[in-house]
Amino acid sequence: MFVTGLLLGAGSSPHLGTPWQLLAYRGDTLLGCTVQAARECGFDQLIVTLGSASGQVRDRVDLGGVRVVDSPHFDTGSASIVPALDAVDRRADGIVVLLGDQPGVTSATVWSLVAEVATPIGVCRYGDGESQPCWFGRELFGELRGLRADAELWNLVGSGVHPVTRVDAIGNIPPRISTWATYERVISGAPGPAVEPPPGTHSSALPTNPHRRRRRTST
């Protein structure tokens, strides 16, 4: 199986005063850490989307070996996934979608998803809900091209049109660093919810799936 990893990093963060991608994190930048974690997954191809902060990010984040796709209109409501699909290798059986501001996702979680997915869509089911990484088979690329925002991926998951494999992941949803409060909590190691309330947060990609936890994997 040929698997493409798609790391979504196009969002802006005007309320932070600096691009969220460049926040200091574990001796690197936040996006630098998530890119490195994605590299460690051993994808056959790795794509990263960038938005309005693309120039600054390219200057400070090691993107070696990564196909970068610019999505300059992301902040005005377009989906960064759509231009990224043009860069997906024609040999790819599907894509694994990851979030650039969710550094706690592990390669073990990614490859459990890839190994167990048996339907066009796969999502990870943590102890407290569903979240990334997500799998979308090539047969869904046409529908993905119709997205108006990255968050609409969850509409595909919940529509009931396509069967979904829900793969159990260890622990709770890894937190997204979407506000100063989340950032400070993650840096300090303090416990807290995976997702902050929406007001004032940046929109780097998809929210956590709002659907409640469900039993067993395929629907």
Side-chain angles (χ1 to χ4, degrees):
M1 179 182 287
F2 191 108
V3 179
T4 292
L6 175 54
L7 183 67
L8 302 180
S12 63
S13 51
H15 66 288
L16 291 177
T18 187
W20 64 265
Q21 295 90 339
L22 302 181
L23 290 172
Y25 187 80
R26 297 188 178 181
D28 197 347
T29 61
L30 176 55
L31 187 63
C33 283
T34 54
V35 168
Q36 182 56 34
R39 285 195 187 99
E40 292 171 359
C41 291
F43 292 114
D44 298 291
Q45 179 191 26
L46 178 59
I47 298 171
V48 176
T49 64
L50 299 178
S52 58
S54 176
Q56 297 176 69
V57 171
R58 288 172 186 267
D59 286 342
R60 292 187 51 191
V61 176
D62 177 9
L63 296 171
V66 175
R67 175 71 181 272
V68 178
V69 174
D70 287 316
S71 183
H73 304 298
F74 178 85
D75 292 339
T76 60
S78 62
S80 68
I81 292 170
V82 175
L85 289 172
D86 291 333
V88 174
D89 193 291
R90 65 182 59 189
R91 295 170 292 176
D93 294 285
I95 58 174
V96 173
V97 180
L98 303 140
L99 302 182
D101 64 355
Q102 195 176 32
V105 172
T106 67
S107 59
T109 298
V110 168
W111 288 109
S112 291
L113 173 68
V114 172
E116 295 186 39
V117 69
T119 54
I121 300 175
V123 299
C124 288
R125 183 171 56 188
Y126 297 88
D128 56 351
E130 297 172 6
S131 185
Q132 288 74 20
C134 300
W135 163 267
F136 294 89
R138 175 170 284 278
E139 60 267 46
L140 289 183
F141 284 10
E143 292 186 52
L144 292 175
R145 289 185 184 279
L147 298 182
R148 295 167 297 177
D150 287 344
E152 290 184 357
L153 282 184
W154 287 113
N155 294 344
L156 281 178
V157 174
S159 69
V161 174
H162 304 285
V164 178
T165 301
R166 292 176 167 84
V167 177
D168 290 332
I170 296 174
N172 291 332
I173 298 170
R176 293 183 60 188
I177 300 178
S178 54
T179 66
W180 278 119
T182 313
Y183 174 63
E184 291 169 357
R185 186 172 65 243
V186 171
I187 291 296
S188 69
V195 181
E196 293 286 334
T201 64
H202 71 75
S203 178
S204 67
L206 300 88
T208 297
N209 191 347
H211 300 157
R212 290 184 176 274
R213 188 181 179 191
R214 303 176 185 179
R215 295 179 61 83
R216 225 21 265 157
T217 56
S218 296
T219 58

